[in-house]
Amino acid sequence: MLQVNLAEDIYYLGFNDRRTHLFENIWPIPHGVSYNSYLIVDEKIALVDTVERAFIDDYLDAIEEIIGDREVDYLIINHMEPDHSGALKAIVHRYPNITLVGNKKTFGFVESYYMKPENIHMVHDDHVLDLGKHKLQFQMIPMVHWPETMVTFEETNQILFSGDAFGSYGTMDGGIFDDEINLDFYEVEVMRYFTNIVGKYCPHTQRAIKKLAGLDIKMIAATHGPIWRSDLNWILKRYNKWSSYDLDQGVVIVYGSMYGNTKKMAETIARQIAVRGIKNIRVYDASKTHSSYIINDIFKYKGFIVGSAAYNNAMFPNVETLLTTIEHMAPKDHLLGIFGNYSWNGGGVKNLKTFAEKIKWDMVYEPIEEKGNMKVQTQEELIKLADAMADKLLEMPAPEKI
Ligand SMILES: Cc1cc2nc3c(=O)[nH]c(=O)nc-3n(C[C@H](O)[C@H](O)[C@H](O)COP(=O)(O)O)c2cc1C
């Protein structure tokens, strides 16, 4: 393995996964994902997080290539999710005298997933672990995105090992640092990683950003995706915007339709919103586009309009799945419109109304429901819904460029 240094004696041990289709067995990763671990070689040797279990052999080999017969003294556990703790048992087996470093929440996870840990070192906010030349400081960032989550700040080179925070989908195709890659390509993957994985925990992310602002950080090394060293603001500004629900002018229109009647209603709304001068309009068929991408756009745009055909007294199943995901993530401050189509007793709009009551977004117009093919009167109503949405979107200030 070609060695990649973040600084003298600090090594990148990252592995690319181009085989897995779904991250967490939910989220599509057409461009793969990397699992990043880091190795600090000093008087004491420390690993920061490990990798997914599929890479254990290559990981152990890569460590040995760097440190030879020396022992690893510490395993810093910023985050216990198995894509990072997957090699923990193998590491303990290979280096039996190793000390696991974590906080008061970490070791319960170690025990429940792997084994009762023998040597542990419990850390808390501002705690410093001295490796020799390198001093590691710890900060807790609970629920970004698990309870035990913490970050490790290497004080000598000012590197923040941030766990999943500031991570990204997408493999590292040669380029590993932000100045070695085309960020235009990674932008969607960074945002999808944020919205899919961390998006439910925006208030916690905001708290973490404020807490970490006290550190003089020169480099951010996450457990997935690029290492940020040239323009930290690129990632920090985006995290701040997304986690504060700072939405742009635009609308996401999603529909679930078997035979096209609900789709026609969605097209009518989209056209009228465009006529009114709104340029960011994304129309999605809930059966075709995975919620990973739709959620991403919901975190971008203020407007959300959802339509559903009635299906067995309920919503169209794929719309229901999407809305359940939205309810769990509970993004704030959106404008909402709902519509649907039915043939006998309905079920689509009825359940969309329940969603609207729960999510408590600002409904711009009353629900619209058609029976079968769209009639002129319904078309007029849909235009009114589109106008109401456009009116509110046009009141928004121009977005700040980041
Ligand atoms: C499997 C299936 C289940 C349906 N269930 C209901 C229902 O419970 N209530 C209802 O009013 N219509 C029901 N319908 C009828 C559709 O909602 C209706 O045809 C509607 O116009 C479809 O809109 P679409 O063209 O966008 O698919 C069902 C249709 C199908 C194919």
Side-chain angles (χ1 to χ4, degrees), residues 151-374:
V151 296
T152 302
F153 183 58
E154 191 275 326
E155 293 179 347
T156 318
N157 299 282
Q158 296 158 282
I159 301 171
L160 181 75
F161 296 103
S162 62
D164 276 350
F166 313 114
S168 177
Y169 296 141
T171 49
M172 298 290 87
D173 297 346
I176 290 162
F177 297 93
D178 57 352
D179 45 280
E180 295 178 337
I181 58 176
N182 184 346
L183 282 176
D184 293 344
F185 169 77
Y186 282 94
E187 178 149 24
V188 176
E189 297 300 273
V190 171
M191 184 171 188
R192 251 179 3 102
Y193 185 81
F194 171 79
T195 59
N196 298 180
I197 308 300
V198 187
K200 178 174 169 55
Y201 304 104
C202 286
H204 307 80
T205 306
Q206 277 288 303
R207 279 197 283 280
I209 290 172
K210 289 194 175 85
K211 187 171 189 177
L212 299 179
L215 300 173
D216 189 7
I217 301 167
K218 293 278 188 292
M219 196 183 297
I220 299 176
T223 41
H224 300 286
I227 297 170
W228 311 97
R229 71 176 176 190
S230 295
D231 179 11
L232 299 195
N233 266 339
W234 190 97
I235 184 74
L236 291 172
K237 276 190 170 180
R238 279 166 178 75
Y239 256 65
N240 191 39
K241 179 175 169 70
W242 302 332
S243 61
S244 57
Y245 308 111
D246 179 7
L247 300 163
D248 291 343
Q249 186 189 72
V251 61
V252 178
I253 303 172
V254 184
Y255 62 84
S257 176
M258 293 154 289
Y259 298 111
N261 291 299
T262 315
K263 173 179 183 274
K264 265 190 217 160
M265 296 170 82
E267 304 275 20
T268 301
I269 297 167
R271 178 63 198 146
Q272 179 63 15
I273 293 178
V275 166
R276 291 291 311 279
I278 305 297
K279 294 214 165 71
N280 292 315
I281 305 169
R282 304 275 179 272
V283 181
Y284 290 115
D285 182 328
S287 295
K288 168 88 185 295
T289 306
H290 194 281
S291 56
S292 168
Y293 296 90
I294 302 177
I295 289 280
N296 217 40
D297 278 343
I298 291 172
F299 268 83
K300 264 188 211 158
Y301 300 121
K302 181 94 175 161
F304 180 66
I305 302 179
V306 54
S308 179
Y311 193 97
N312 294 343
N313 299 325
M315 274 187 258
F316 189 74
N318 295 50
V319 172
E320 193 166 10
T321 304
L322 172 71
L323 297 188
T324 304
T325 308
I326 294 173
E327 268 177 47
H328 290 165
M329 292 194 177
K332 303 255 176 310
D333 298 335
H334 282 77
L335 304 168
L336 178 66
I338 60 180
F339 65 98
N341 207 295
Y342 73 109
S343 276
W344 56 93
N345 60 347
V349 168
K350 187 174 82 186
N351 285 289
L352 288 176
K353 282 182 191 164
T354 309
F355 165 77
E357 279 159 22
K358 283 199 229 158
I359 199 84
K360 295 190 173 69
W361 290 344
D362 181 8
M363 281 273 275
V364 296
Y365 198 72
E366 63 207 49
I368 300 169
E369 192 162 30
E370 177 61 283
K371 192 171 183 180
N373 194 28
M374 185 171 57

Side-chain angles (χ1 to χ4, degrees), residues 2-220:
L2 283 179
Q3 286 174 6
V4 178
N5 282 77
L6 280 67
E8 202 188 343
D9 300 328
I10 303 185
Y11 299 85
Y12 169 75
L13 297 176
F15 295 87
N16 289 315
D17 180 354
R18 298 188 181 87
R19 299 180 86 165
T20 303
H21 290 268
L22 297 174
F23 188 76
E24 293 182 350
N25 212 16
I26 304 175
W27 311 105
I29 41 170
H31 302 296
V33 69
S34 71
Y35 308 101
N36 307 342
S37 167
Y38 301 92
L39 178 69
I40 307 171
V41 181
D42 202 332
E43 287 163 29
K44 297 283 183 191
I45 295 181
L47 276 169
V48 183
D49 293 310
T50 74
V51 293
E52 216 269 344
R53 67 181 67 196
F55 300 93
I56 287 176
D57 284 348
D58 290 347
Y59 181 57
L60 292 175
D61 287 351
I63 296 168
E64 202 174 309
E65 261 181 50
I66 297 169
I67 65 170
D69 290 340
R70 287 187 68 186
E71 297 277 309
V72 178
D73 299 285
Y74 296 110
L75 171 58
I76 317 290
I77 306 170
N78 283 329
H79 182 30
M80 270 302 296
E81 201 172 358
D83 55 336
H84 308 297
S85 66
L88 187 150
K89 225 172 155 176
I91 288 288
V92 173
H93 190 68
R94 173 71 183 77
Y95 303 106
N97 298 319
I98 198 167
T99 298
L100 306 187
V101 180
N103 57 69
K104 60 180 186 226
K105 301 258 173 68
T106 313
F107 303 111
F109 280 93
V110 174
E111 198 169 342
S112 61
Y113 285 152
Y114 305 111
M115 80 282 244
K116 194 165 172 47
E118 284 194 9
N119 309 322
I120 63 166
H121 182 80
M122 181 97 74
V123 300
H124 46 76
D125 274 347
D126 304 325
H127 183 109
V128 173
L129 179 68
D130 196 342
L131 302 179
K133 277 188 292 178
H134 303 273
K135 319 243 177 294
L136 304 180
Q137 185 202 126
F138 304 94
Q139 298 294 336
M140 308 302 121
I141 55 162
M143 297 319 300
V144 184
H145 60 125
W146 275 28
E148 86 304 359
T149 322
M150 65 180 199
V151 296
T152 302
F153 183 58
E154 191 275 326
E155 293 179 347
T156 318
N157 299 282
Q158 296 158 282
I159 301 171
L160 181 75
F161 296 103
S162 62
D164 276 350
F166 313 114
S168 177
Y169 296 141
T171 49
M172 298 290 87
D173 297 346
I176 290 162
F177 297 93
D178 57 352
D179 45 280
E180 295 178 337
I181 58 176
N182 184 346
L183 282 176
D184 293 344
F185 169 77
Y186 282 94
E187 178 149 24
V188 176
E189 297 300 273
V190 171
M191 184 171 188
R192 251 179 3 102
Y193 185 81
F194 171 79
T195 59
N196 298 180
I197 308 300
V198 187
K200 178 174 169 55
Y201 304 104
C202 286
H204 307 80
T205 306
Q206 277 288 303
R207 279 197 283 280
I209 290 172
K210 289 194 175 85
K211 187 171 189 177
L212 299 179
L215 300 173
D216 189 7
I217 301 167
K218 293 278 188 292
M219 196 183 297
I220 299 176

